[in-house]
Amino acid sequence: MKVIHNILPEAEHRQCAKHIMDNWKRDSHNMELQRLFWRIARSYTAGQYAKNMEALQKYNPGAYTSLLSTNPMTWSRAFFRVGTCCNDNLNNLSESFNRTIRQARRKPLLEMLEEIRLQCMVRNGKRHIIAGRLRTRFTKRAHMEIEKMIEGSQFCVRKIARHNKHEVELHDEIYSVDMDKLTCGCIKWQMTGIPFVHAASVIIAKKQKVEDYVSEWYTTRMWQLTYADGIEPVQGQIEWLG
């Protein structure tokens, strides 16, 4: 952690919320604490964060105090940098990688690195083929999320204002949507790059397509570019020169 802060001072450092929770309630099997924790971790705004932290403090003051010491700014979405099109607060990526190289890690150093290189090379090659076959505008996962937002938008109550701004209510929560700045008060649009239900309701009311407001990072073209290059194959060890 010190190296990241020293070498890459502008990089955002996030902690895995699941690891924080497991360590925080290590000696407790109270499911209510777990529920309150995930509400805090998944809060997108400072107001939601404060409300959920207050609920935890009322429920268990000791647990509230101990949770503050875990630096919530690094694992609650309310404090994440917007514009990255990423709301991850779990390290599933590294967990998946570690699980993949489990067998390789038992081997001597050179053999271990060769097996990891081979796994990565094959994985990139297969992903390149899969991405190349896709003919939709967005990736499958992105399409599912877009459809989810469109479906949820029907429950929003929209009220128009001036200067291309709108006030949207859903489940007794009200947020302001600015279509000129492409922002929503719930922050989810800015953080993920996909219009959340509040913004989706405004876009649909304007007879426009939600897809046209989705970040290009979710397009099939960007997915294909991710795997356009890969790891080069190498000769067998007998051909290696000292």
Side-chain angles (χ1 to χ4, degrees):
M1 290 175 63
K2 291 182 179 179
V3 170
I4 293 296
H5 286 304
N6 290 336
I7 305 302
L8 300 171
E10 299 301 318
E12 181 181 31
H13 183 82
R14 301 179 183 179
Q15 294 194 80
C16 176
K18 186 177 186 305
H19 283 83
I20 295 293
M21 184 196 69
D22 289 342
N23 291 328
W24 173 61
K25 59 182 292 292
R26 179 180 300 166
D27 301 322
S28 173
H29 300 288
N30 190 330
M31 295 304 296
E32 181 63 15
L33 283 179
Q34 181 172 320
R35 186 183 68 83
L36 289 170
F37 173 87
W38 284 116
R39 282 191 173 184
I40 295 168
R42 292 166 180 160
S43 298
Y44 277 89
T45 66
Q48 291 176 349
Y49 170 81
K51 176 183 176 181
N52 292 323
M53 285 294 282
E54 182 180 0
L56 174 63
Q57 186 177 25
K58 290 180 178 179
Y59 180 75
N60 190 322
Y64 166 82
T65 302
S66 63
L67 190 63
L68 285 177
S69 65
T70 64
N71 193 8
M73 296 185 68
T74 60
W75 52 262
S76 174
R77 290 171 178 167
F79 304 102
F80 288 177
R81 188 180 300 172
V82 299
T84 59
C85 293
C86 178
N87 63 351
D88 285 350
N89 56 2
L90 302 171
N91 66 344
N92 291 338
L93 180 65
S94 59
E95 293 288 350
S96 177
F97 179 75
N98 287 335
R99 184 165 55 252
T100 302
I101 66 171
R102 185 178 300 168
Q103 296 298 324
R105 291 172 64 179
R106 299 176 180 176
K107 298 183 177 181
L109 180 61
L110 185 59
E111 285 80 359
M112 177 190 74
L113 293 176
E114 270 300 286
E115 183 165 333
I116 294 175
R117 179 196 64 80
L118 185 62
Q119 288 178 350
C120 292
M121 181 186 73
V122 173
R123 177 184 175 87
N124 280 17
K126 289 182 177 179
R127 287 295 180 90
H128 173 70
I129 295 174
I130 295 173
R133 291 173 177 169
L134 200 62
R135 293 294 178 265
T136 56
R137 180 179 177 182
F138 296 98
T139 64
K140 182 178 179 180
R141 186 171 180 179
H143 269 295
M144 291 174 60
E145 188 66 17
I146 294 169
E147 289 301 319
K148 182 180 176 181
M149 296 303 105
I150 293 175
E151 183 179 351
S153 67
Q154 63 182 310
F155 302 105
C156 294
V157 178
R158 180 185 64 93
K159 298 177 182 178
I160 191 171
R162 291 280 291 115
H163 308 298
N164 211 9
K165 295 180 181 179
H166 305 258
E167 188 175 289
V168 182
E169 180 179 358
L170 177 65
H171 304 319
D172 298 324
E173 293 185 347
I174 301 174
Y175 294 104
S176 173
V177 177
D178 189 326
M179 293 304 298
D180 286 340
K181 295 181 179 179
L182 303 181
T183 61
C184 179
C186 75
I187 310 298
K188 295 180 183 179
W189 186 7
Q190 298 92 294
M191 187 171 293
T192 66
I194 298 178
F196 194 59
V197 290
H198 311 111
S201 69
V202 175
I203 295 170
I204 293 172
K206 292 168 68 68
K207 308 299 182 182
Q208 296 176 340
K209 294 183 179 180
V210 175
E211 293 89 335
D212 293 337
Y213 289 87
V214 175
S215 171
E216 66 172 347
W217 294 114
Y218 294 98
T219 61
T220 297
R221 173 181 170 275
M222 295 303 294
W223 193 35
Q224 292 170 343
L225 286 175
T226 301
Y227 296 100
D229 293 318
I231 298 175
E232 292 290 326
V234 301
Q235 301 280 61
Q237 291 189 32
I238 194 173
E239 301 297 335
W240 294 2
L241 299 179

